[in-house]
Amino acid sequence: MATEVAVVDRSDAADWDEAVWQQPNANIYASRFWGSYKGRLGWSVRRIALRDSGGDLAYVQYQERKRGFLRRIFVQGGPILTARGRARAEAVLAAFLDHLALGPADVLAIKHYQFHDAEGVSALLAHNFLPVITRQDHTIEIDLSRGTKAILADANSTWRQTIRKAQANPALTSVVPTDPEERLRAFDAFAGLHADLQQRKGFADGLDTAVYRDLAVADPHLLILEIREDGAPVTVCLAHTARQRWTYFFAASNDRARATGAAPFALWRIVEHACEQGARVLDLGGVDPIDNRGVFDFKRGLCRNIVQGGPLWLYARHRRIRTGAATLLTLRGG
């Protein structure tokens, strides 16, 4: 008979990140840093371990918001199953649902961002989660195992010319700061460029740089890369650096970046760094050819391997609530 799965609250555990990052599917969204960021944005964030008598089976960081009697619960980048947990994925998910004790109108959403495995997906299906796919749930993935020469050879001619020109430009330098003060300065440069970009183009992407600032700088799994022209930052990129999968998270540039090709050069330097660190995949962070055609064309110039990056998995006790939430999300993202 299978051993019962217990839920242990580890919201205040100092070693949460240490435990999570030992797992193959560890990612920034399951880290304490990201949980702290979402907590500052108004979510109630908890961290739990699910375990049996043999040890930990999974780690789940979940966010919760209440409006009246309605709860919205969101799991990003998880659940993170251990090697033992993958063999008991259905029981782990059942214990998590019991722990949440969802009300009649409550909705649970899980988004893996490709940090998942077959057993975890099988458990979601077995528990009647509904997968929701929209246009925005697609991305471009670069197969880093092919090596930088092959990747660049498959890019379009404009991309190749821009990269070669940037590499030959002595005024351009690529810097990945590691000192905390230098990382803070680089993040502040990103925040300034990001604010200017939003004002010029009139969009909002949901990132609150003032709230995220100290957490981003302290996170060892967030790479900050600057392209400088004569010492002044013209492009700054943020990238998630998980064990096998890196993600091009955010980037911001000024007008000099366009003139010098600094933006493609920055992305290319991330490709090179990811290859050097042994990552297998670089996720370019989503595509949207309808609402953001310029960024779509920019990314597709380097690689045309568009893949499904979702889905968002929805669960509610009642079918009408689940399908109603799915329909609303589909209409918004269609």
Side-chain angles (χ1 to χ4, degrees):
M1 183 175 180
T3 308
E4 181 181 357
V5 177
V7 176
V8 180
D9 192 326
R10 300 199 63 196
S11 298
D12 297 323
D15 64 345
W16 172 263
D17 279 356
E18 180 182 349
V20 165
W21 282 102
Q22 290 178 9
Q23 310 309 317
N25 283 332
N27 60 87
I28 278 183
Y29 296 113
S31 73
R32 177 182 290 277
F33 292 101
W34 189 256
S36 297
Y37 170 63
K38 295 305 290 283
R40 293 177 182 180
L41 295 179
W43 292 84
S44 174
V45 179
R46 293 182 65 187
R47 288 172 281 274
I48 61 172
L50 296 108
R51 61 177 54 159
D52 61 14
S53 59
D56 289 347
L57 302 171
Y59 305 103
V60 185
Q61 176 170 261
Y62 65 94
Q63 310 159 32
E64 183 176 322
R65 269 184 173 160
K66 292 183 179 180
R67 179 175 294 177
F69 295 103
L70 173 65
R71 282 194 300 163
R72 287 185 296 155
I73 299 161
F74 189 24
V75 179
Q76 291 183 278
I80 304 292
L81 295 169
T82 67
R84 293 186 64 256
R86 285 192 287 276
R88 302 200 62 193
E90 284 191 40
V92 165
L93 192 54
F96 179 48
L97 291 172
D98 288 345
H99 166 75
L100 293 176
L102 297 174
D106 296 343
V107 176
L108 165 64
I110 293 176
K111 193 168 183 67
H112 292 112
Y113 305 98
Q114 301 289 63
F115 293 100
H116 59 74
D117 50 52
E119 294 300 330
V121 172
S122 177
L124 290 166
L125 293 170
H127 283 286
N128 206 23
F129 277 72
L130 180 65
V132 179
I133 299 292
T134 68
R135 186 182 70 248
Q136 286 86 352
D137 292 314
H138 293 79
T139 189
I140 291 176
E141 289 185 353
I142 300 176
D143 178 3
L144 299 175
S145 67
R146 301 172 62 240
T148 56
K149 289 184 179 179
I151 294 169
L152 190 58
D154 284 346
N156 68 28
S157 59
T158 301
W159 248 90
R160 293 196 302 271
Q161 292 169 7
T162 300
I163 295 304
R164 289 169 184 148
K165 182 179 178 181
Q167 289 172 331
N169 185 348
L172 291 184
T173 54
S174 170
V175 181
V176 177
T178 56
D179 176 79
E181 290 188 5
E182 281 296 297
R183 280 175 61 85
L184 183 61
R185 186 204 55 73
F187 187 86
D188 286 344
F190 163 76
L193 293 171
H194 183 259
D196 289 344
L197 186 65
Q198 287 186 311
Q199 186 174 15
R200 288 201 317 269
K201 297 197 173 182
F203 73 93
D205 54 23
L207 181 68
D208 190 323
T209 56
V211 172
Y212 192 38
R213 181 177 185 257
D214 63 311
L215 298 168
V217 169
D219 191 341
H221 297 282
L222 185 73
L223 179 140
I224 305 175
L225 183 142
E226 285 185 301
I227 301 298
R228 301 174 183 170
E229 182 186 27
D230 294 325
V234 293
T235 294
V236 185
C237 298
L238 310 181
H240 291 179
T241 62
R243 186 180 303 179
Q244 297 182 359
R245 184 183 189 86
W246 284 31
T247 305
Y248 182 66
F249 190 34
F250 281 98
S253 304
N254 62 18
D255 289 338
R256 289 301 304 163
R258 178 183 294 273
T260 59
F265 187 36
L267 176 51
W268 182 247
R269 291 295 290 132
I270 289 174
V271 170
E272 293 179 323
H273 282 295
C275 286
E276 289 168 3
Q277 294 300 314
R280 296 181 181 178
V281 173
L282 177 63
D283 182 338
L284 295 193
V287 292
D288 188 351
I290 302 300
D291 292 332
N292 206 338
R293 182 74 195 195
V295 172
F296 172 69
D297 289 336
F298 167 74
K299 294 177 179 180
R300 198 170 59 152
L302 177 58
C303 179
R304 302 179 75 87
N305 181 36
I306 296 179
V307 301
Q308 181 181 302
L312 181 72
W313 294 90
L314 290 180
Y315 180 87
R317 283 173 49 187
H318 296 293
R319 180 179 297 176
R320 285 186 178 180
I321 298 295
R322 185 171 63 247
T323 56
T327 300
L328 180 61
L329 286 167
T330 302
L331 289 173
R332 286 178 176 176

